[in-house]
Amino acid sequence: MPKRPAHSSIPAVRTTQTSEITTRASASSADSLTYDYDLIIIGCGVGGHGAALHAIEKGLRTCVLESDVVGGTCVNRGCVPSKALLAATGRVRDLRNKMHLASMGIRVGDVDFDVEGIRHHADQLVTTMRTNLSNSLESVGVDLLRGHGYFVDNHTITYELPDDKGGTITAKDIIICTGSVPAVPPGIQIDGKTVFSSDDALKMSWLPPWVAIIGSGYIGLEFADIYTALGSEVTFIEAVDKLMPAFDGDIARMANRLLIQPRHIDAHSGVFVTKVIPGIPNKVPVKLELTDAKTGEAVDTLEVDACLVATGRSPYTDGLNLDALNVGLAKGGAISVNDKMQVLAKDGSIVEGVWCIGDANARMMLAHAASAQGISAVENMTGNENVLNHLSVPAACFTHPEISFCGLTEEQARAEAEANGFSIAVSKTSYKANSKAQAENEADGMAKLIYRSDTGEILGVHIMGLHAADLIHEASNAIAANQTVADLKFNVHAHPTTSEVIDELIRNAKFTAPELAADDSSAHADAMAKKTFTH
């Protein structure tokens, strides 16, 4: 795990002494005498936490090794603090929308905010969640060790910290879940103040009047939501020739109408940022040089107050001594794994006893995907074959309104259908007819369902609107259970709730041969589950 500065507010993590390990091993079964633990997990983010809890449930003596703080990227520098900022700034946006409030008979005066108070809200949430994760592990008997671990062999880990001698521990199985770090393209100078990644942006050390955001994915959209709510101007810079290229086309168009245009967000698409020179907060502007993505010619220069680099994340595997295991690395430095999360050597063979989950394998860079992969890995190492269907893993962007999805976009589904000789159909519905959304005066939104027209197999679901992040789970769980559109038509949804958006979506779906659904869709889902998808 990355070695980061210590935080005084971090609760101490219990360190298990080597003598404790030896005693525990001596008191265990004959197999336990061979190793200190059944399972060592390197990295205690959401993925490592989920794997550890499941390992304990399966009866494995488990140790988690963490070089920094419990919670990893999600809890400390990602999902959790960003949601706190989005919650606070979303309230500011709502209270400043006097026309919206007046339509419901509410009058408000001027609304002010305190950046330091908003930051404190995020910090407090991080501390609470970090403590909860530590306590949940210790309460079930997981040993938490501090140290930067590296492989001696595929059953032995040596760990150390600059101020600690550390030690060496062994286990039958080892899971790597060391996470990721922000990806920074060449030519961009990060100073952490005027040019920064999402890690630094979450600190909210100051509020830039004008922010350029490089990249229009999850991270870029969420921070644009935060900054515009507080009054900052935002300019998007996207290498692809359209904004939000990873989103379904219909959703991207609606997001442009709801999140970009009314907030007067400027955008440059089809260009690379080839050089960024940091400035000085409120004194010297940041300078960005833009180059045409196709011709390579310089096309523009921007001067802004700050620049957020939101160009994705890169797997973090430094210092693990993976060469000792001859581990194969995929594009971008991701650790190669098979469908069971077993690490692969450079020749494609399995590295016995070593597994990798989460951002480090780059199959799907989402915290809950890492946890699901960890559970799958534990199932496989305990003799229960399990393959996670990544198409069933939901994703959400917590803008106002929210965006969520699982499975394929319509564009991906059509390509898949053409390649495999089947046809697809699309069902769409609007929030306009939903009484709960209308009651909230939040009726802007849509949902779409992409499915096989012959079998009813669900290929993808995309939602933008009120509570979209919560609504997606009915669809994701249906994909995980190989349910078809026909199966979902019997689901009951409470009235009046936004869940009726999904009810309407399902009822609008038509297909021709429901008797084929059980066999054909299941076989295709199994094949699709083995693919790697980037959202």
Side-chain angles (χ1 to χ4, degrees), residues 68-98:
D68 187 31
V69 290
V70 171
T73 295
C74 174
V75 171
N76 296 287
R77 298 168 300 279
C79 328
V80 170
S82 65
K83 299 306 142 327
L85 296 181
L86 283 160
T89 57
R91 298 288 177 87
V92 173
R93 185 187 299 281
D94 289 342
L95 291 170
R96 285 182 165 179
N97 191 345
K98 295 183 179 181

Side-chain angles (χ1 to χ4, degrees), residues 296-313:
E297 297 179 359
V299 293
D300 205 351
T301 299
L302 296 181
E303 290 190 354
V304 295
D305 297 294
C307 176
L308 166 62
V309 183
T311 50
R313 301 185 67 85

Side-chain angles (χ1 to χ4, degrees), residues 28-218:
S28 302
S29 63
D31 182 63
S32 297
L33 293 174
T34 308
Y35 302 110
D36 298 323
Y37 292 97
D38 297 313
L39 174 63
I40 295 171
I41 299 171
I42 305 175
C44 194
V46 172
H49 177 265
L53 292 182
H54 195 63
I56 291 295
E57 185 179 328
K58 302 294 288 187
L60 303 183
R61 294 169 305 114
T62 304
C63 164
V64 175
L65 181 62
E66 174 58 61
S67 67
D68 187 31
V69 290
V70 171
T73 295
C74 174
V75 171
N76 296 287
R77 298 168 300 279
C79 328
V80 170
S82 65
K83 299 306 142 327
L85 296 181
L86 283 160
T89 57
R91 298 288 177 87
V92 173
R93 185 187 299 281
D94 289 342
L95 291 170
R96 285 182 165 179
N97 191 345
K98 295 183 179 181
M99 184 177 297
H100 178 264
L101 293 173
S103 68
M104 296 189 286
I106 301 170
R107 292 190 297 271
V108 295
D110 292 337
V111 177
D112 201 3
F113 60 87
D114 174 22
V115 173
E116 185 176 344
I118 293 174
R119 183 174 65 245
H120 179 70
H121 169 58
D123 291 343
Q124 286 293 104
L125 178 61
V126 167
T127 299
T128 298
M129 297 308 299
R130 187 190 298 144
T131 301
N132 289 348
L133 288 181
S134 296
N135 291 344
S136 68
L137 292 176
E138 292 189 352
S139 68
V140 296
V142 175
D143 285 337
L144 295 173
L145 300 183
R146 288 293 305 275
H148 188 96
Y150 57 90
F151 284 92
V152 176
D153 57 45
N154 52 335
H155 297 288
T156 308
I157 296 291
T158 292
Y159 65 98
E160 58 187 26
L161 282 174
D163 57 349
D164 192 333
K165 293 182 180 179
T168 297
I169 48 177
T170 60
K172 180 182 178 182
D173 290 285
I174 299 172
I175 296 179
I176 302 168
C177 48
T178 47
S180 62
V181 294
V184 180
I188 298 178
Q189 301 177 41
I190 298 285
D191 69 350
K193 295 180 181 179
T194 60
V195 182
F196 41 78
S197 68
S198 57
D199 286 5
D200 292 311
L202 288 166
K203 298 174 184 176
M204 290 286 286
S205 58
W206 69 300
L207 184 61
W210 184 7
V211 186
I213 300 179
I214 306 175
S216 59
Y218 302 98

